[in-house]
């Protein structure tokens, strides 16, 4: 089945590495133009170079923006419209976790940053995408949450609370924006990226043994789900959260 992504334009936040980078490559492989965004222009320029080498002729625009900064977010969207004429797909992927520990001990500044980047940015970038062209010509939005937003976990409880919010923002936006714009979400399990390094690097073999599918996730595992949700392949889906976690959440409670 065809994804219908050829010639579409996608904005991907947090595209300089990890899951966002893999999503950008997967969308470009389907023929989409991609706008790569994250805070560091130099890293984005590197990724753009790699992407053009992998997919000669791909439309690529690297444009730095802090997802929580309204002005630089708007400038990114403006640049996308100027380059490609509009935006068809938004992937709200940028995420952060500045605090590890019991939830009651989080400092207000760390809590505010977690909400700004993981949660409110989803609202801000959705609004900008609507204004840029989606309200008029429609589109698809893919939010990246986490399986942590569906359960409890030691150490990253506040981060997970923002991911639970992303799951609900997905449902709420899907209801408000239907039928023109579809909004769906992915809840990844543990994926081997920089963000989650402290969780998996010290004991990858041990964790893998406990995963029903026997391994941790790779960014590409999430990218293929993002292509499905961004494309015509999911044209009768909105407001849903797709769990992609190697089976972590269906593990037997007693082995
Ligand atoms: N890895 C996992 O196990 C896992 C599991 C569940 C969910 N997730 C979610 O997946 C998403 C991607 O994470 P990842 O694992 O791929 O992490 P990663 O490799 O650390 O990538 C994070 C990306 O977000 C960007 N970023 C961070 N803060 C930003 C900000 N304020 N403004 C703009 N960009 C910002 C980073 O670039 P700069 O630093 O250059 O800005 C980078 O491109 C996140 O939403 C994360 O919560 C990850």
């Amino acid at each position: 089945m065809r994804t219908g992504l050829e010639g579409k334009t996608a904005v991907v936040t947090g595209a300089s590495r990890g899951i966002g980078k893999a999503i950008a490559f997967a969308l470009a492989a389907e023929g989409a133009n991609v706008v790569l965004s994250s805070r560091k222009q130099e890293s984005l320029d590197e990724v753009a170079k790699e992407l053009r080498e992998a997919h000669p002729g791909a439309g690529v625009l690297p444009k730095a923006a802090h997802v929580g900064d309204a002005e630089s977010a708007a400038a990114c969207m403006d640049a996308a419209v100027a380059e490609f004429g509009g935006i068809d797909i938004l992937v709200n992927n940028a995420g952060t976790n500045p605090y590890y520990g019991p939830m009651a001990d989080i400092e207000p500044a760390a809590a505010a940053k977690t909400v700004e980047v993981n949660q409110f940015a989803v609202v801000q970038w959705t609004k900008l995408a609507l204004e840029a062209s989606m309200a008029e010509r429609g589109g698809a939005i893919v939010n990246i949450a986490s399986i942590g937003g569906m359960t409890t976990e030691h150490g990253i409880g506040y981060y997970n609370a923002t991911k639970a919010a992303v799951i609900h923002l997905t449902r709420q936006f899907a209801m408000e924006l239907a039928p023109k714009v579809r909004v769906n979400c992915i809840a990844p399990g543990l994926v081997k990226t920089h963000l989650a390094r402290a969780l998996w690097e010290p004991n990858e073999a041990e964790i893998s043994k406990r995963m029903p599918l026997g391994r941790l996730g790779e960014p590409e595992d999430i990218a293929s789900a993002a292509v499905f949700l961004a494309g015509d392949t999911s044209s009768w889906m909105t407001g849903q959260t797709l769990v992609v976690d190697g089976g972590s959440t269906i593990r037997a409670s007693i082995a």
Side-chain angles (χ1 to χ4, degrees), residues 14 16-17 19 39-40 66-67 93 145 159 163 189 191 193 195:
S16 64
R17 60 175 185 258
I19 291 169
R39 285 169 299 182
K40 298 181 196 97
H66 184 309
V67 284
N93 163 78
Y159 162 88
K163 292 302 185 176
V191 180
T193 67
L195 181 80

Side-chain angles (χ1 to χ4, degrees), residues 153-246:
E153 232 170 336
H154 288 290
I156 56 172
Y158 198 79
Y159 162 88
N160 282 342
T162 62
K163 292 302 185 176
V166 171
I167 291 168
H168 189 71
L169 289 172
T170 298
R171 282 193 292 257
Q172 182 68 28
F173 269 134
M175 184 274 287
E176 293 184 13
L177 304 182
K180 274 217 149 164
V181 178
R182 295 186 305 108
V183 189
N184 287 293
C185 182
I186 300 172
L190 193 53
V191 180
K192 289 169 69 177
T193 67
H194 174 76
L195 181 80
R197 192 175 298 281
L199 300 177
W200 59 267
E201 202 165 54
N203 44 6
E204 182 179 350
E206 189 48 43
I207 298 171
S208 298
K209 265 193 247 160
R210 285 190 270 123
M211 309 269 288
L213 294 183
R215 65 172 175 87
L216 300 188
E218 298 291 342
E220 291 71 23
D221 292 313
I222 310 306
S224 50
V227 165
F228 167 67
L229 293 176
D232 295 345
T233 33
S234 61
S235 60
W236 204 47
M237 257 182 90
T238 196
Q240 303 306 307
T241 294
L242 193 57
V243 172
V244 183
D245 70 345

Side-chain angles (χ1 to χ4, degrees), residues 135-154:
E136 193 190 321
R137 71 186 207 190
I141 298 175
V142 180
N143 297 324
I144 307 299
S146 167
I147 56 169
M150 301 167 156
T151 183
T152 56
E153 232 170 336
H154 288 290

